[in-house]
């Protein structure tokens, strides 16, 4: 509240834990904290209307595809319930923002994105459509769990491709942007990581090269540790970039 920030319930899917999510959102509102949820909308609208929407300031809802058969092929469920819920949420007066994770081979053609944007434009009160480029941020987690990352062959969309889709979606008159609130947050982390890494490297070099005191060995030991930490941060950053972090 002091930083004028808020509370966002993200995924997995917060609506699958509706009781806990509702209690958390209510508590946040009681303290004057703004709230948002990121959701697929694949849940009972009656539950959302009763337990979630009264305590949410912004609903960030995914619409991945307008073709029900293709939606089911890629996600395991059709999109009828999702589209109906989007209409009901919009009609309820909630501040609804439509988001589309742009995934090559699934929904990255201009025609597919335009159809989603046109649907978003038809919803009362909806003014924004966020295009979220697919990334491989979670691939290391799969590796750590000993699981196969089945989308390793899918390359993140290029900036040129995203700009093309952005231009098409904008023809609907909506405010359309590449990336959403979380992407802006990650970009800030990216800047902070590079800044921290630079400071660690500089401090490490100073501690290794310049000390000439009774504490020289200690200083140089600390310097080596700090230097390795900084270099490790740079390596992690470079790995994230090559894997399509953004």
């Amino acid at each position: 509240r002091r930083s004028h920030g808020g509370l966002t319930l993200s995924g997995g899917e917060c609506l699958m834990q509706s009781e806990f999510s509702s209690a958390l959102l209510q508590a946040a509102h009681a303290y004057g904290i703004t709230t948002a949820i990121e959701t697929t909308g694949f849940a009972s609208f009656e539950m959302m209307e009763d337990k979630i929407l009264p305590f949410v300031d912004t609903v960030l809802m995914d619409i991945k595809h307008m073709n029900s058969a293709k939606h089911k092929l890629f996600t395991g469920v059709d999109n009828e319930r999702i589209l109906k819920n989007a209409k009901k949420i919009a009609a309820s007066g909630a501040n609804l923002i439509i988001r589309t994770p742009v995934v090559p081979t699934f929904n990255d053609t201009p025609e597919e994105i335009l159809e989603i944007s046109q649907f978003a434009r038809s919803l009362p009160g909806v003014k924004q459509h966020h295009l979220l480029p697919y990334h491989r941020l979670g691939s290391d987690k799969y590796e750590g769990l000993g699981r196969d990352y089945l989308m390793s062959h899918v390359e993140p969309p290029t900036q040129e491709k995203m700009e093309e889709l952005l231009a098409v979606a904008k023809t609907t008159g909506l405010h359309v942007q590449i990336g959403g609130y979380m992407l802006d947050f990650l970009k800030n982390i990216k800047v902070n990581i590079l800044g921290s890494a630079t400071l660690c490297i500089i401090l490490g070099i100073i501690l290794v090269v310049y000390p000439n005191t009774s504490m020289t060995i200690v200083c140089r030991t600390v310097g080596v540790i700090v230097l390795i930490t900084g270099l490790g941060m740079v390596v992690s950053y470079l790995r994230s970039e090559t894997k399509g972090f953004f």
Side-chain angles (χ1 to χ4, degrees):
R1 184 166 58 181
R2 288 193 299 270
S3 64
H4 305 290
L7 171 72
T8 300
L9 302 188
S10 185
E13 174 55 70
C14 64
L15 299 183
M16 293 186 70
Q17 303 179 62
S18 59
E19 294 294 339
F20 175 78
S21 295
S22 179
L24 188 57
L25 293 168
Q26 289 185 59
H29 261 201
Y31 280 95
I33 299 171
T34 57
T35 58
I37 61 170
E38 296 178 337
T39 180
T40 63
F42 191 75
S44 160
F45 179 74
E46 289 70 25
M47 176 276 293
M48 286 190 277
E49 186 177 37
D50 180 48
K51 298 180 180 180
I52 303 297
L53 295 180
F55 314 107
V56 171
D57 298 300
T58 301
V59 178
L60 300 154
M61 183 173 177
D62 284 6
I63 301 293
K64 297 181 174 71
H65 213 287
M66 294 302 295
N67 182 289
S68 187
K70 192 169 185 180
H71 192 283
K72 186 171 184 177
L73 178 65
F74 278 78
T75 69
V77 297
D78 60 44
N79 64 1
E80 276 83 0
R81 186 183 214 183
I82 294 168
L83 299 183
K84 286 180 182 178
N85 280 344
K87 294 176 182 178
K88 291 178 180 179
I89 292 170
S92 75
N95 179 28
L96 176 62
I97 296 174
I98 298 301
R99 313 187 314 165
T100 301
V102 178
V103 183
T105 74
F106 173 46
N107 63 356
D108 67 332
T109 68
E111 294 78 15
E112 288 167 318
I113 293 301
L114 178 60
E115 194 174 6
I116 297 171
S117 210
Q118 287 172 335
F119 172 75
R121 183 69 180 83
S122 74
L123 300 173
V126 171
K127 296 180 174 61
Q128 296 188 52
H129 184 195
H130 297 174
L131 303 179
L132 313 179
Y134 160 75
H135 58 70
R136 296 174 180 165
L137 187 59
S139 60
D140 285 345
K141 296 179 181 178
Y142 279 78
E143 184 179 335
L145 293 170
R147 298 174 60 184
D148 292 331
Y149 187 68
L150 300 180
M151 294 185 66
S152 59
H153 63 288
V154 178
E155 293 293 330
T158 63
Q159 184 65 27
E160 291 74 19
K161 182 66 174 180
M162 293 303 301
E163 292 290 345
E164 176 191 9
L165 300 178
L166 177 70
V168 169
K170 279 186 172 181
T171 63
T172 61
L174 290 173
H175 169 78
V176 187
Q177 66 184 58
I178 298 172
Y181 300 129
M182 182 56 66
L183 189 63
D184 293 336
F185 174 68
L186 290 174
K187 286 180 178 178
N188 289 333
I189 290 178
K190 172 183 171 183
V191 172
N192 291 335
I193 286 174
L194 286 177
S196 298
T198 301
L199 288 174
C200 284
I201 291 171
I202 292 172
L203 180 59
I205 291 173
I206 292 173
L207 290 173
V208 169
V209 174
Y210 290 104
N212 187 20
T213 68
S214 59
M215 299 291 288
T216 296
I217 294 177
V218 174
C219 288
R220 285 181 174 165
T221 300
V222 172
V224 169
I225 294 172
V226 172
L227 183 57
I228 291 173
T229 300
L231 292 173
M233 293 169 72
V234 171
V235 170
S236 295
Y237 164 76
L238 292 175
R239 286 184 65 195
S240 69
E241 284 291 289
T242 57
K243 289 188 177 183
F245 191 91
F246 298 111

